């Protein structure tokens, strides 16, 4: 009888092999409910732990199978949530006191409705302080990006005569920036690392949510609830993180033999400035029908690229006469909806902001010590927070 593999358990539950491995070995940022479910499924399938040699051979075989999957994106290296050292493993390398780092972020990400980045900033600043690093936020306006201008504090880095007390020793660049502007930042005479973004053309280390895998998992969750007509909410053009979440959504559909309806892929924000619309631009045909609450030309579930868009979507649906989740189910992404009414109801994917911040600080610590972060690119898997916004379809 063939032994039960980690991938077999993952397929049974609609999750990843990495998540199964972490759950069975007490690692990773996994919800207690999911961890217990994985352990129970492993026992039911008769999973047996193997010797180290057999485990290595099995992982090599599974990796070869994964490389033949035409749906797997070309995002190499492809580390797990626990690949490499634990965050802040090189903190002891800081020997000089009074080190200062800048947390660089576009002003648009700090506007109302996108305070996700305020939360991420706070985690990062707090973690840095624990290891003797003072930090200051450096905001960049759209005008500065368009004109290739540095904020005043960063301009000081290019002035040999400037006051050392006002200068910075390193930068953590938070969120997406245009490639040319990132290149300008990377040319500054101090170490830089990226948080919640990656630019494959630049030699900058990065930590970000595993958008592709996480979106695949939350979409699989919806499909396992019985939904076969799914739509996606998110503007892909110009937003790499959202595009990767769409690809994860698309993969889940393809592997379940479900069709992708282009009319159900709906933008949620201004493609030029990234501002989320105050009303979701749903097709005019999205209205309840007399003979059915949700007619066949509409999806029964919508996968949103972020929680804030899910909140706007819920409001738009209610205004059109739909009920959530009785008529249309919703899921979000990031688990960050402070002070919004949908927060206690929305099933979402928690990206574990605290761990992202820890690894970003770990990267800058290693760079300040003259070391290169390992791995160069780290994508972190999250976990599903199940609430009440998805109904089960019989």
């Amino acid at each position: 009888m063939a032994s039960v593999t980690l991938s077999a358990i993952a397929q049974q539950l609609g999750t990843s092999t990495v998540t199964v491995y972490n759950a069975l070995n007490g690692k990773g940022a996994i919800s207690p409910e999911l961890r217990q479910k994985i352990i129970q499924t492993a026992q039911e399938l008769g999973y047996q732990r193997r010797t180290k040699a057999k485990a290595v051979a099995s992982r090599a075989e599974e990796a070869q199978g994964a490389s033949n999957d035409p749906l797997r994106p070309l995002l190499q290296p492809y580390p797990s949530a626990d690949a490499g050292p634990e965050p802040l493993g090189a903190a002891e390398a800081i020997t000089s006191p009074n080190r200062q780092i800048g947390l660089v972020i576009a002003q648009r990400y700090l506007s109302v409705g996108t305070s996700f980045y305020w939360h991420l900033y706070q985690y990062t600043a707090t973690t840095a302080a624990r290891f003797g690093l003072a930090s200051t936020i450096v905001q960049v306006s759209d005008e500065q990006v368009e004109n290739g201008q540095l904020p005043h504090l960063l301009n000081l880095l290019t002035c040999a005569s400037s006051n050392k007390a006002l200068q910075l020793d390193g930068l953590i660049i938070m969120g997406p920036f245009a490639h040319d502007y990132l290149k300008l930042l990377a040319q500054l005479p101090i170490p830089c690392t990226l948080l919640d973004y990656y630019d494959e053309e630049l030699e900058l280390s990065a930590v970000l949510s595993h958008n592709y895998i996480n979106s695949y998992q939350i979409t699989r969750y919806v499909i396992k609830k019985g939904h076969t007509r799914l739509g996606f909410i998110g503007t892909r053009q110009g937003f790499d993180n959202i595009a990767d979440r769409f690809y994860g959504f698309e993969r889940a559909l393809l592997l379940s033999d479900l069709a992708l309806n282009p009319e159900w892929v709906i933008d949620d924000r201004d493609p030029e400035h990234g501002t989320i619309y105050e009303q979701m631009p749903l097709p005019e045909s999205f209205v309840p029908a007399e003979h059915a609450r949700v007619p066949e030309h509409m999806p029964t579930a919508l996968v949103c690229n972020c929680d804030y868009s899910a909140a706007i979507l819920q409001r738009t649906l209610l205004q059109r006469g739909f009920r959530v989740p009785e008529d249309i189910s919703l899921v979000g992404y990031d688990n960050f909806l402070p002070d919004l009414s949908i927060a206690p109801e929305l099933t979402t994917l928690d990206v574990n902001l605290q761990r992202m911040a820890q690894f970003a600080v770990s990267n800058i610590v290693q760079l300040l010590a003259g070391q290169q972060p390992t791995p160069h690119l780290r994508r972190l898997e999250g976990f599903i927070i199940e609430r009440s916004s998805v109904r089960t379809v019989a």
Side-chain angles (χ1 to χ4, degrees):
M1 180 178 178
S3 60
V4 177
T5 64
L6 296 178
S7 60
I9 300 171
Q11 185 175 7
Q12 176 83 5
L13 294 172
T15 187
S16 70
T17 303
V18 170
T19 300
V20 172
Y21 173 83
N22 288 339
L24 296 178
N25 289 275
K27 298 181 177 181
I30 303 172
S31 67
E33 295 79 8
L34 178 57
R35 190 184 300 274
Q36 182 57 40
K37 191 173 183 180
I38 290 173
I39 293 173
Q40 181 178 348
T41 302
Q43 293 173 342
E44 292 173 353
L45 294 177
Y47 172 75
Q48 298 290 330
R49 293 182 182 273
R50 291 156 291 175
T51 65
K52 183 176 181 179
K54 288 183 178 180
V56 170
S58 175
R59 285 198 295 271
E61 181 179 349
E62 291 180 359
Q64 178 62 34
S67 67
N68 294 328
D69 181 357
L71 301 174
R72 190 180 182 94
L74 300 177
L75 298 175
Q76 299 295 336
Y78 211 68
S80 74
D82 287 296
E86 281 298 298
L88 306 171
E92 64 275 8
I94 296 181
T95 56
S96 302
N98 302 319
R99 291 289 189 103
Q100 301 180 73
I101 62 171
L103 305 182
V104 183
I105 186 169
Q107 286 180 350
R108 67 168 70 170
Y109 302 139
L110 302 179
S111 62
V112 175
T114 53
S115 53
F116 168 90
Y117 279 105
W118 270 121
H119 211 52
L120 185 57
Y121 159 73
Q122 291 167 349
Y123 273 129
T124 307
T126 300
T127 303
R130 287 171 46 211
F131 292 89
L133 291 174
S135 61
T136 185
I137 191 167
V138 181
Q139 298 187 45
V140 182
S141 69
D142 287 343
E143 182 180 0
Q144 288 171 329
V145 172
E146 292 170 3
N147 297 327
Q149 299 173 338
L150 292 172
H152 174 68
L153 190 57
L154 298 186
N155 257 329
L156 293 176
L157 297 172
T158 64
C159 302
S161 60
S162 63
N163 186 346
K164 172 61 180 175
L166 298 177
Q167 289 197 27
L168 300 171
D169 298 291
L171 299 178
I172 297 179
I173 304 168
M174 302 173 60
F177 278 97
H179 171 75
D180 288 344
Y181 200 79
L182 269 181
K183 188 175 180 180
L184 180 65
L185 295 174
Q187 291 172 346
L188 292 170
I190 57 173
C192 301
T193 189
L194 301 178
L195 176 57
D196 199 40
Y197 191 65
Y198 178 65
D199 188 312
E200 62 182 12
E201 296 182 25
L202 297 178
E203 295 296 323
L204 295 176
S205 59
V207 178
L208 66 160
S209 164
H210 207 324
N211 297 292
Y212 176 84
I213 289 295
N214 289 338
S215 184
Y216 168 80
Q217 290 185 357
I218 193 72
T219 306
R220 280 283 297 162
Y221 167 87
V222 175
I223 293 172
K224 293 186 73 172
K225 287 289 187 177
H227 293 271
T228 58
R229 289 150 43 202
L230 283 74
F232 181 84
I233 306 295
T235 301
R236 295 163 291 164
Q237 291 75 18
F239 301 94
D240 290 349
N241 285 353
I242 298 178
D244 285 344
R245 292 170 197 176
F246 171 76
Y247 297 141
F249 166 82
E250 186 179 36
R251 182 193 186 197
L253 294 186
L254 290 171
L255 293 186
S256 299
D257 294 322
L258 299 178
L260 172 65
N261 188 332
E263 295 182 358
W264 299 348
V265 180
I266 300 166
D267 289 345
D268 70 329
R269 65 193 67 201
D270 171 25
E272 183 176 357
H273 298 104
T275 305
I276 296 178
Y277 299 131
E278 294 183 3
Q279 290 288 322
M280 207 56 63
L282 301 176
E284 292 299 326
S285 60
F286 276 38
V287 293
E290 293 182 3
H291 63 281
R293 293 291 304 175
V294 181
E296 292 185 0
H297 66 264
M298 285 185 55
T300 62
L302 293 166
V303 176
C304 302
N305 80 93
C306 71
D307 285 1
Y308 190 76
S309 290
I312 300 298
L313 174 62
Q314 183 206 37
R315 185 175 65 193
T316 304
L317 289 171
L318 292 176
Q319 289 172 350
R320 293 203 180 185
F322 290 106
R323 301 164 299 175
V324 177
E326 292 85 355
D327 299 325
I328 298 180
S329 295
L330 304 181
V331 293
Y333 190 105
D334 63 35
N335 192 31
F336 189 73
L337 272 182
D339 304 324
L340 293 179
S341 60
I342 193 178
E345 307 166 10
L346 183 66
T347 293
T348 188
L349 193 293
D350 191 306
V351 298
N352 201 341
L353 291 183
Q354 187 170 11
R355 194 163 176 81
M356 287 174 60
Q358 288 173 341
F359 276 117
V361 173
S362 178
N363 281 354
I364 201 65
V365 165
Q366 293 179 70
L367 289 167
L368 291 174
Q371 305 168 3
Q372 286 301 314
T374 304
H376 177 74
L377 169 62
R378 188 186 297 272
R379 292 185 172 90
L380 302 183
E381 288 190 43
F383 51 91
I384 294 172
I385 302 294
E386 186 174 19
R387 299 189 179 111
S388 59
S389 64
V390 180
R391 74 179 182 91
T392 301
V393 178

